[in-house]
Amino acid sequence: STIDHPPASVNVGADEEPKEHIEPEAGQQVLFGPTTGDDTTPQLLPQHADELRLSGIDPECALAHGVRSASSQELQAILGWSFPPRGSGLVYEYRIDGEVVGHRVKLDEPRTAERGRVVKYESPVGAETHIYMSFVADDARLADPDQRLLIAEGEKKTAAIVQAGFLAVGVPGVFSGHD
């Protein structure tokens, strides 16, 4: 099968072990997040960093909270698909108590479902639905019963609300779990 995204390559710094990363187009700057325990470094491609900024989300903060770019091969594994999607995508990790419990993916080249509806966000095959709280999971205000908690639709809206100073959790989009 044809893969539209270039394969992962290796980026080695002066005193670093090799880390896989997604190859940007010529002249593009990639943002790198903290190194994970499995010797990979989360990163955001320029188009994903720009998309987050336009939504009021600081890309470096997003990286620290499990938002990252992924190649089509990695997206295939995350989504549990038998074929790779076209192009790369933006992955939102769902975390509870620091543990990743799920993912949602916004593909750069979304598929079209029945009746012509474009599927903007994808969930892994057979995945349970979770509340998105990666940006506030360690916020002490969650324990305060007098704090107002906002509930937002979607990961980007939730992240933007939290970055604006409010306490918020998110629920997946309206069509979550449906084609």
Side-chain angles (χ1 to χ4, degrees):
S1 66
T2 302
I3 297 172
D4 293 340
H5 192 76
S9 62
V10 175
N11 177 26
V12 181
D15 296 313
E16 295 181 71
E17 292 294 315
K19 295 177 177 50
E20 285 190 359
H21 76 279
I22 303 166
E23 195 65 42
E25 293 181 21
Q28 290 185 320
Q29 179 65 37
V30 175
L31 293 175
F32 292 92
T35 301
T36 61
D38 62 359
D39 289 330
T40 60
T41 302
Q43 57 196 286
L44 285 171
L45 291 172
Q47 68 267 25
H48 296 148
D50 291 344
E51 178 181 330
L52 291 168
R53 277 189 206 95
L54 287 172
S55 296
I57 302 166
D58 175 52
E60 292 193 17
C61 184
L63 275 168
H65 289 91
V67 180
R68 61 189 167 80
S69 299
S71 67
S72 62
Q73 297 92 340
E74 184 180 0
L75 294 172
Q76 178 182 2
I78 289 170
L79 294 170
W81 289 3
S82 60
F83 57 90
R86 295 172 47 97
S88 60
L90 193 55
V91 176
Y92 292 84
E93 289 181 348
Y94 277 61
R95 298 177 181 177
I96 297 177
D97 295 329
E99 180 182 334
V100 176
V101 296
H103 297 90
R104 295 264 292 158
V105 174
K106 183 171 188 226
L107 298 174
D108 290 345
E109 297 182 43
R111 68 183 174 92
T112 302
E114 292 179 22
R115 297 186 219 130
R117 184 180 63 81
V118 174
V119 180
K120 288 173 46 176
Y121 288 85
E122 299 279 1
S123 294
V125 173
E128 295 179 2
T129 300
H130 295 278
I131 292 174
Y132 184 68
M133 54 188 292
S134 294
F135 276 70
V136 296
D138 56 0
D139 193 319
R141 296 178 299 169
L142 283 173
D144 182 352
D146 294 327
Q147 276 291 324
R148 229 174 242 184
L149 177 66
L150 302 175
I151 300 172
E153 181 266 333
E155 297 82 8
K156 279 194 340 188
K157 291 180 192 102
T158 303
I161 291 168
V162 170
Q163 286 201 334
F166 298 96
L167 188 60
V169 296
V171 294
V174 174
F175 290 104
S176 178
H178 303 282
D179 237 353

